[in-house]
Amino acid sequence: MIAALQDLLPLWALLASLGTAVIIFALRDERRRQRTFWNLFGAGVKLVLVALLVYGFLQGRSYQVAWEVVPGVTFHLAADPLALLFAMLSAVLWLITTVYAVAYLENSAQRARFFGFFSLCVAATFGIALAGNLFTFLLFYEALTLATYPLVVHRGHPAALAAGRTYLAYTLGGGMALLAGTVALYAAVGEQPFSPGGSAAVAEWAAAAPGAATVVLALLLGGVAVKAALFPLQAWLPIAMVAPAPVSALLHAVAVVKAGAFGVVRIVQDVYGHAVAADLSVTPVLAALAAVTILYGSLRALAQVDIKRRLAFSTVSQVSFITLGVAMGGPLGLIGGLVHLVHQGLMKITLFFCAGNYAETLGIHRIESLNGVGRRMPLTSVAFTIGALGMIGFPPIAGFISKWHLGLGALAQELYWILAVLVASTLLNAAYFLPVLRRIWLLPAPAGWPGAMPRTSSAETHRWLLYPALLTALAALLAGVLAAAEFSPLNWAQRIVEQEYPL
């Protein structure tokens, strides 16, 4: 009995988020204490269940949950190392973001609706992480689109509604491409579980019908490229910044863009296999698009005066490092891309938490208003500094580890133009983050800030807003300092790559 329950751990972890959403939707808006309890309880239970999955996997246990939906189509959850990397990231950051969101939206309307869809969003992300085949991936990928739309339009003003329409137009369009590619692939080779190195049946089909296989791969990658914010499909992401700061953190660090990047990894590595995708001449195009996106996002970030929009264009650039690592081929580049899935999440969520703190506490939304804010909010500003320096690639913060392995991967593959892209990106990152840090720490503070809240204590902001930012900043720092540790994100990425490129 106990063994059977353990085998269903992926399903229980998924139901933890779904159950939390159902309970929260049932609570009236004024039931703040009960809603806070269930939010934190659900996130805590999910984290414990994911930790049990990781522990069981390390003990040699295999987790597979599957049942046939219709003949030839199976709902399939599987806990392989890649799935667990993304699942653990989503579980940890969901708990931290929940703490932050409870404080951030304490006086907001429609809290029950917000946190209900918030939980559904994380459930969909977790389903994407543990999807064992394309059908299951597609199911949760589309569910994520629908669950995040109410979060984007939560404020309800015209700008939010317009952003929601743009978001749906892009993501539903991408979903249609993914659906078409999935149906075509199923028609060609039948159902194929995700498999390290790709499916043998897909490889045989690609050898026999390379034209059709290329079109299907383009459809699949085009579908996930929207959420991954690859150029020229990235326009929705900065527009969606009208959403509250916890939603921005969720979109950029945990859910939507990571789901797209994760989809690129699954399709290239575990459906087609990198060798087949390279033979079809798709990976060079994918690498070029990732490089263009990296430079485009950085150049656009330079021109932004709104803090969240600058961070949004930074995300457009930074998430494409994951795609670049996958596309370049070879174990080192893939390690760099996979570890950046975690590292970028830690650094970017820190930056959005800090931006939300500046906005909620002092009414600061524009970069020009940050002058001297380090004296008024020193701990938030230290966290922001760690996140920004990590994005630039300063050692020993996590971002340096990602870029180091991407650079080594480019050298190993003799792709020297990728080294040039990495150097240019680093210089551009410095150009749009260092002036912000100069304002925060070196310029004199003004007589007052745009919308400063009255200070009722010596604390710089609400502790539930401050602690999450400090915790994720510390995690980003430790992920770099302890990169060689046994259970670091880097070590786990290396474990995944050992499956993809066995010796």
Side-chain angles (χ1 to χ4, degrees):
M1 178 67 175
I2 294 176
L5 290 175
Q6 287 180 334
D7 290 339
L8 294 175
L9 267 178
L11 187 60
W12 302 136
L14 177 64
L15 292 175
S17 303
L18 291 174
T20 301
V22 171
I23 293 170
I24 291 174
F25 278 130
L27 292 174
R28 294 194 302 272
D29 213 44
E30 61 270 17
R31 304 291 291 273
R32 183 173 65 85
R33 289 181 180 273
Q34 292 91 332
R35 185 173 51 255
T36 299
F37 169 79
W38 285 111
N39 268 314
L40 297 177
F41 179 79
V45 167
K46 186 184 188 73
L47 182 57
V48 170
L49 292 173
V50 175
L52 289 174
L53 276 172
V54 173
Y55 176 78
F57 174 83
L58 292 174
Q59 298 303 307
R61 196 177 187 94
S62 176
Y63 295 100
Q64 303 278 340
V65 177
W67 63 83
E68 196 170 55
V69 179
V70 296
V73 179
T74 304
F75 178 88
H76 184 195
L77 300 177
D80 64 12
L82 179 57
L84 292 174
L85 179 76
F86 194 25
M88 182 57 79
L89 176 71
S90 68
V92 170
L93 294 188
W94 181 33
L95 177 58
I96 297 172
T97 307
T98 298
V99 172
Y100 184 87
V102 166
Y104 193 92
L105 296 163
E106 186 174 7
N107 299 314
S108 175
Q110 301 292 345
R111 292 185 294 271
R113 183 187 70 191
F114 177 91
F115 283 106
F117 282 108
F118 190 81
S119 295
L120 286 180
C121 177
V122 177
T125 304
F126 189 77
I128 289 170
L130 265 70
N133 59 19
L134 264 179
F135 168 75
T136 310
F137 180 90
L138 173 68
L139 183 70
F140 286 108
Y141 194 81
E142 291 302 276
L144 180 62
T145 296
L146 299 178
T148 47
Y149 170 75
L151 301 178
V152 173
V153 302
H154 177 72
R155 300 291 194 196
H157 49 66
L161 296 175
R165 288 192 295 270
T166 301
Y167 174 72
L168 280 183
Y170 273 85
T171 53
L172 289 179
M176 290 174 63
L178 183 62
L179 172 61
T182 301
V183 171
L185 190 65
Y186 270 54
V189 299
E191 183 171 271
Q192 301 295 320
F194 292 142
S195 176
S199 162
V202 172
E204 291 176 7
W205 171 62
T214 302
V215 171
V216 171
L217 179 54
L219 284 171
L220 294 173
L221 289 175
V224 296
V226 174
K227 284 193 173 79
L230 271 179
F231 183 88
L233 304 172
Q234 80 298 326
W236 65 270
L237 188 56
I239 295 171
M241 289 307 94
V242 298
V247 179
S248 299
L250 197 70
L251 291 174
H252 288 252
V254 187
V256 178
V257 295
K258 288 300 172 58
F262 183 80
V264 171
V265 179
R266 279 297 195 198
I267 291 164
V268 172
Q269 296 293 147
D270 296 344
V271 176
Y272 274 70
H274 189 278
V276 173
D279 288 342
L280 297 174
S281 301
V282 171
T283 52
V285 175
L286 191 62
L289 286 175
V292 169
T293 309
I294 288 168
L295 299 178
Y296 169 84
S298 296
L299 289 169
R300 289 298 305 273
L302 272 172
Q304 306 306 310
V305 295
D306 179 87
I307 299 171
K308 286 177 65 178
R309 281 185 64 83
R310 179 166 291 196
L311 295 180
F313 279 108
S314 171
T315 297
V316 170
S317 174
Q318 290 281 334
V319 168
S320 290
F321 284 123
I322 302 168
T323 301
L324 185 64
V326 174
M328 76 169 69
L332 289 171
L334 184 57
I335 288 171
L338 290 177
V339 78
H340 201 59
L341 187 82
V342 177
H343 290 170
Q344 188 271 350
L346 295 173
M347 296 181 295
K348 187 49 62 79
I349 206 168
T350 300
L351 292 170
F352 272 107
F353 283 164
C354 294
N357 290 357
Y358 291 141
E360 284 297 290
T361 308
L362 301 177
I364 293 175
H365 297 276
R366 293 169 66 87
I367 291 167
E368 65 198 30
S369 302
L370 287 169
N371 292 2
V373 76
R375 299 177 184 85
R376 169 64 176 82
M377 299 178 67
L379 294 177
T380 295
S381 299
V382 166
F384 188 95
T385 300
I386 291 172
L389 293 179
M391 286 294 180
I392 295 170
F394 273 85
I397 307 171
F400 168 76
I401 303 299
S402 304
K403 291 188 176 182
W404 177 260
H405 282 82
L406 288 169
L408 290 178
L411 282 174
Q413 298 298 112
E414 298 184 353
L415 298 172
Y416 302 114
W417 65 271
I418 288 181
L419 281 178
V421 170
L422 293 173
V423 170
S425 169
T426 298
L427 294 175
L428 289 169
N429 292 163
Y432 65 74
F433 272 126
L434 291 182
V436 176
L437 299 183
R438 174 177 174 270
R439 285 183 178 275
I440 289 173
W441 294 111
L442 300 180
L443 294 188
W449 279 278
M453 300 289 289
R455 291 191 74 162
T456 57
S457 69
S458 59
E460 65 182 56
T461 190
H462 193 295
R463 63 182 181 277
W464 279 31
L465 295 177
L466 177 60
Y467 295 161
L470 295 178
L471 183 59
T472 53
L474 178 62
L477 182 59
L478 291 179
V481 172
L482 303 178
E486 185 176 359
F487 295 108
S488 69
L490 177 63
N491 180 276
W492 199 265
Q494 290 169 337
R495 184 189 300 268
I496 296 167
V497 172
E498 287 171 2
Q499 287 191 335
E500 301 286 347
Y501 293 94
L503 295 176

